[in-house]
Amino acid sequence: MAENTIPEITLNNDVRIPQLGFGVFQIAPADTKEAVLTALEAGYRHIDTAQMYGNEREVGEAVRESGLDRAEIFVTSKLNNNAHDPEAARDATARSIDALGIGPMDLYLVHWPMPAVGDFTDTWRAMERFYEDGQTRAIGVSNFQIGHLERLLAETEVVPAVNQIEVHPYLSQTELREYNASKGIETEAWSPIAQGDVLDDPELKAIAAQTGRTVAQVVLRWHVQLGNIVFPKSTTPSRIVENRDIFDFELTDEQMSRIDSLNADRRRGPNPDEFNWIPE
Ligand SMILES: NC(=O)c1ccc[n+]([C@@H]2O[C@H](COP(=O)([O-])OP(=O)(O)OC[C@H]3O[C@@H](n4cnc5c(N)ncnc54)[C@H](OP(=O)(O)O)[C@@H]3O)[C@@H](O)[C@H]2O)c1
């Protein structure tokens, strides 16, 4: 506990992933390399990007320039919403791998199910081929609801390694997290501090005062104790370090329950059943 090391979680295909990573959504390309290098310097070994974020190239540059072995860093990217078609998926994947420039990805996700746009089971079959071809060490989904997963599991072969979904104290997603776990799918929590929305919460502030930690650290620790994989985003160097320092303290059962009770089923982002946005 005192060592403050980042634990790893073993995915359903035996690939290991650091439970804490660094998210780069909404980091401008010009700022991404420096932010990722700061995170790697602070001890992060897992980066979460996406073709949609427009900064894969800069993530790859940071990985290559970090001085660390490629194998020490876990890199996730995501299939864009305009690639829900096997041929488009092949092109998009080739572009991601080229932009990253670090060889195969560690984890590759279908970014959104896009239920009104394409058939995500066809998209998933294309993902299965990328996995078999060695373009990524694991495949998973993002923003899949129970109904989407039921269909995927019934109609395709490979069980997703992860489901990356919005989770934070105001949207605890208990049912979906339990469903994921029952199928051997790890839950990854996006917007883990609700893009800052939870930071002024009086109950969280009280727990932060009790533990001598910041609200962000308390919330990230809650995720870790729930078993979530988590990757807060920050371009502020002191916060990058702060968010990483969550493995040398523990929340009590009572503190965990108080955070659980803040759930309001309140999304910060779109509802995956209704979100069908395609980038230009
Ligand atoms: N799959 C998906 O559909 C999806 C959707 C959204 C996000 N994600 C992933 O999840 C990652 C994290 O989510 P997110 O970026 O939306 O939100 P987030 O990590 O919950 O919050 C980021 C915001 O919180 C601020 N912040 C970070 N640490 C802080 C601290 N210790 N104290 C105070 N403020 C702090 C950051 O500000 P500064 O940067 O100014 O420090 C930024 O404004 C993304 O980067 C992305 O990798 C995935």
Side-chain angles (χ1 to χ4, degrees), residues 22-27 48-49 53 78 109 111-112 142-143 164-165 189-196 199 214 216-217 220 231-240 242-243:
F22 183 67
V24 299
F25 177 44
Q26 291 177 326
I27 304 186
D48 185 87
T49 185
Y53 304 167
K78 311 186 191 88
L109 309 181
H111 205 149
W112 290 86
S142 179
N143 300 300
Q164 184 178 124
I165 55 174
W190 63 253
S191 293
I193 59 171
Q195 300 190 339
L199 297 179
T214 67
Q217 287 175 319
L220 294 171
F231 24 78
K233 170 265 174 187
S234 179
T235 44
T236 312
S238 60
R239 290 173 174 170
I240 293 174
E242 174 187 328
N243 295 345

Side-chain angles (χ1 to χ4, degrees), residues 30-41:
D31 300 330
T32 300
K33 185 166 92 175
E34 192 184 327
V36 173
L37 284 170
T38 303
L40 293 172
E41 181 71 23

Side-chain angles (χ1 to χ4, degrees), residues 57-102:
R57 191 164 299 282
E58 292 73 15
V59 167
E61 283 171 8
V63 169
R64 290 197 304 274
E65 291 177 26
S66 66
L68 295 162
D69 281 348
R70 164 70 186 93
E72 285 183 62
I73 307 171
F74 192 102
V75 178
T76 300
S77 194
K78 311 186 191 88
L79 183 82
N80 214 341
N81 289 355
N82 55 7
H84 275 261
D85 155 284
E87 202 170 318
R90 215 167 28 247
D91 291 349
T93 304
R95 279 204 308 282
S96 281
I97 288 181
D98 178 65
L100 285 163
I102 52 174

Side-chain angles (χ1 to χ4, degrees), residues 7-280:
E8 290 187 331
I9 286 183
T10 304
L11 302 175
N12 60 14
N13 66 348
D14 290 337
V15 166
R16 291 169 72 78
I17 181 170
Q19 192 176 7
L20 176 80
F22 183 67
V24 299
F25 177 44
Q26 291 177 326
I27 304 186
D31 300 330
T32 300
K33 185 166 92 175
E34 192 184 327
V36 173
L37 284 170
T38 303
L40 293 172
E41 181 71 23
Y44 294 76
R45 292 291 181 269
H46 164 187
I47 313 296
D48 185 87
T49 185
Q51 188 165 79
M52 195 188 290
Y53 304 167
N55 53 19
E56 289 172 307
R57 191 164 299 282
E58 292 73 15
V59 167
E61 283 171 8
V63 169
R64 290 197 304 274
E65 291 177 26
S66 66
L68 295 162
D69 281 348
R70 164 70 186 93
E72 285 183 62
I73 307 171
F74 192 102
V75 178
T76 300
S77 194
K78 311 186 191 88
L79 183 82
N80 214 341
N81 289 355
N82 55 7
H84 275 261
D85 155 284
E87 202 170 318
R90 215 167 28 247
D91 291 349
T93 304
R95 279 204 308 282
S96 281
I97 288 181
D98 178 65
L100 285 163
I102 52 174
M105 296 175 275
D106 294 290
L107 178 61
Y108 191 40
L109 309 181
V110 178
H111 205 149
W112 290 86
M114 307 287 286
V117 168
D119 183 339
F120 56 73
T121 63
D122 286 342
T123 311
W124 186 249
R125 285 187 200 93
M127 296 289 283
E128 290 176 333
R129 280 196 296 280
F130 306 146
Y131 176 50
E132 282 158 17
D133 292 349
Q135 300 190 63
T136 176
R137 296 168 64 224
I139 50 174
V141 294
S142 179
N143 300 300
F144 273 46
Q145 308 275 55
I146 291 176
H148 303 135
L149 286 171
E150 280 176 337
R151 191 167 161 226
L152 203 68
L153 296 177
E155 297 181 26
T156 65
E157 294 295 322
V158 178
V159 177
V162 309
N163 185 14
Q164 184 178 124
I165 55 174
E166 181 178 352
V167 187
H168 44 71
Y170 296 156
L171 182 74
S172 58
Q173 299 258 37
T174 306
E175 194 188 354
L176 182 49
R177 284 190 297 107
E178 285 175 358
Y179 180 85
N180 289 339
S182 75
K183 303 296 179 190
I185 300 169
E186 298 297 332
T187 295
E188 295 195 328
W190 63 253
S191 293
I193 59 171
Q195 300 190 339
D197 277 3
V198 297
L199 297 179
D200 287 327
D201 187 279
E203 187 72 339
L204 294 173
K205 282 183 169 173
I207 296 171
Q210 275 181 340
T211 55
R213 297 294 174 138
T214 67
V215 172
Q217 287 175 319
V218 164
V219 172
L220 294 171
R221 181 70 211 175
W222 169 80
H223 281 284
V224 164
Q225 288 184 216
L226 286 179
N228 298 339
I229 298 164
V230 74
F231 24 78
K233 170 265 174 187
S234 179
T235 44
T236 312
S238 60
R239 290 173 174 170
I240 293 174
V241 172
E242 174 187 328
N243 295 345
R244 185 249 174 273
D245 285 337
I246 56 167
F247 298 101
D248 56 353
F249 78 109
E250 208 160 337
L251 298 170
T252 64
D253 290 347
E254 187 259 348
Q255 289 166 335
M256 288 292 289
S257 303
R258 280 161 64 195
I259 303 176
D260 291 342
S261 69
L262 297 176
N263 179 49
D265 291 334
R266 192 157 78 232
R267 289 185 187 277
R268 183 76 178 71
N271 182 333
D273 287 318
E274 294 156 9
F275 187 66
N276 290 289
W277 176 79
I278 297 184
E280 305 259 305

